[in-house]
Amino acid sequence: MIVDTAMTEDKWHHVAFTFDGTTTKLYLDGNEINSSDFAAGLTPHPVPITTIGRKFLGKIDEVRIWNLARSQTDIQSTMNGVLSGDETGLVAYYPMDVNENWMLIDHSVNDNHASIV
């Protein structure tokens, strides 16, 4: 699916995607811009996420992965702040900090550290 986001270049944007088992929603800068039931009834594949940002032309400042579909209010309330790392449903939190071995440090309580390639 292709969604016209009308994002402008040379500006940071907050992008969030949710799926509650019935409806997918795409948010741009805290506002819902697309909703669909194309994936209704599907469940996420149990294999861990292995790639973020493949073929993405731009910069990624932070990645947050949740195991629940957050509401627009939830997204708006935390999108410009720093998380503590122990929020309910937070699976991984990457503020793009790396260690001396170029491992991407997960700041959630789950320690899902990753590699940058």
Side-chain angles (χ1 to χ4, degrees):
M1 172 183 355
I2 297 174
V3 177
D4 182 5
T5 62
M7 290 193 314
T8 58
E9 292 183 13
D10 298 325
K11 179 182 177 207
W12 286 102
H13 291 280
H14 181 274
V15 177
F17 179 82
T18 66
F19 177 57
D20 64 6
T22 301
T23 306
T24 60
K25 293 183 179 182
L26 179 63
Y27 298 87
L28 179 62
D29 298 327
N31 299 304
E32 184 181 324
I33 62 168
N34 187 268
S35 178
S36 175
D37 64 356
F38 78 91
L42 298 178
T43 56
H45 197 279
V47 174
I49 293 171
T50 58
T51 305
I52 296 172
R54 176 179 255 169
K55 297 184 181 181
F56 175 76
L57 299 176
K59 296 179 181 178
I60 298 175
D61 181 57
E62 181 177 274
V63 173
R64 301 171 181 186
I65 301 172
W66 304 80
N67 64 6
L68 50 87
R70 301 185 78 230
S71 69
Q72 182 167 325
T73 301
D74 293 337
I75 291 167
Q76 289 174 342
S77 70
T78 60
M79 66 185 224
N80 293 314
V82 176
L83 300 179
S84 64
D86 63 353
E87 288 80 0
T88 300
L90 184 64
V91 174
Y93 176 37
Y94 304 110
M96 297 308 173
D97 295 336
V98 294
N99 67 13
E100 66 278 355
N101 296 320
W102 284 94
M103 290 294 296
L104 188 61
I105 305 304
D106 176 16
H107 286 257
S108 80
V109 297
N110 301 309
D111 293 328
N112 290 313
H113 308 305
S115 298
I116 295 178
V117 291

